[in-house]
């Protein structure tokens, strides 16, 4: 499970990240990137959004959220954020191609998108 200090929780934080409009995307995931940090010591926070449009069954929506959280947890554990560490927040949204994928494919997509971030 992703530790609390890395979770994006309140509505204002989500809105601020959406408002920044810096988006990277591929066939599996879309990542909204928040503002740059003023203090480099602050933790980067992650939010996960899976709407009912993605799949009507909560079981499927929860599974994809678990996979995305695990991907981020592994990334933080192995310290793979690199350039992305300078941003305050990220919101990760899956696309329909991610529905039947496994952890490895989501992880490669996530790392590829982290490389795209300026």
């Amino acid at each position: 499970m992703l530790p609390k200090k890395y979770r994006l929780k309140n509505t204002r934080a989500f809105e601020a990240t959406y408002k920044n409009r810096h988006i990277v995307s591929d066939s599996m995931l879309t990542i909204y990137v928040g503002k740059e940090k003023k203090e480099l010591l602050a933790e980067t926070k992650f939010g996960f959004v899976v709407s009912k449009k993605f799949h009507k069954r909560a079981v499927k929506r929860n599974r994809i959220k678990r996979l995305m959280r695990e991907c981020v947890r592994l990334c933080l554990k192995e310290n793979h954020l690199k350039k992305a560490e300078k941003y305050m927040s990220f919101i990760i949204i899956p696309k329909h191609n991610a529905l039947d994928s496994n952890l490895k494919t989501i992880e490669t997509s996530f790392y590829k998108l982290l490389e795209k971030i300026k």
Side-chain angles (χ1 to χ4, degrees):
M1 181 170 231
L2 193 63
K4 269 190 177 182
K5 65 181 180 178
Y6 297 114
R7 292 186 214 159
L8 198 60
K9 294 180 225 163
N10 59 10
T11 307
R12 293 178 99 189
F14 274 90
E15 288 172 359
T17 306
Y18 282 129
K19 195 175 183 180
N20 195 31
R21 303 297 289 171
H22 184 207
I23 303 166
V24 290
S25 183
D26 70 354
S27 63
M28 289 282 203
L29 301 172
T30 301
I31 298 179
Y32 284 80
V33 182
K35 294 180 181 177
E36 287 192 28
K37 292 180 190 175
K38 293 177 183 164
E39 301 173 15
L40 291 176
L41 297 175
E43 300 294 343
T44 301
K45 299 193 182 267
F46 295 89
F48 305 94
V49 176
V50 184
S51 70
K52 254 189 174 174
K53 284 183 183 179
F54 182 75
H55 200 280
K56 69 178 185 176
R57 301 208 32 148
V59 174
K60 298 281 188 178
R61 295 193 307 268
N62 290 337
R63 180 182 179 278
I64 197 71
K65 277 194 278 188
R66 281 195 308 271
L67 288 175
M68 290 188 304
R69 274 192 220 114
E70 181 64 14
C71 177
V72 170
R73 189 189 68 78
L74 291 174
C75 181
L76 290 169
K77 182 180 176 184
E78 297 167 4
N79 204 12
H80 282 272
L81 276 182
K82 299 174 189 162
K83 297 185 294 184
E85 238 173 27
K86 68 180 182 179
Y87 296 102
M88 291 173 64
S89 59
F90 294 100
I91 296 176
I92 305 170
I93 303 171
K95 292 187 177 176
H96 286 282
N97 294 343
L99 186 61
D100 296 322
S101 61
N102 59 9
L103 178 64
K104 195 66 180 167
T105 56
I106 291 177
E107 195 172 15
T108 55
S109 174
F110 181 69
Y111 287 142
K112 189 169 54 170
L113 289 175
L114 283 180
E115 293 295 319
K116 278 187 181 181
I117 295 172
K118 296 177 184 175

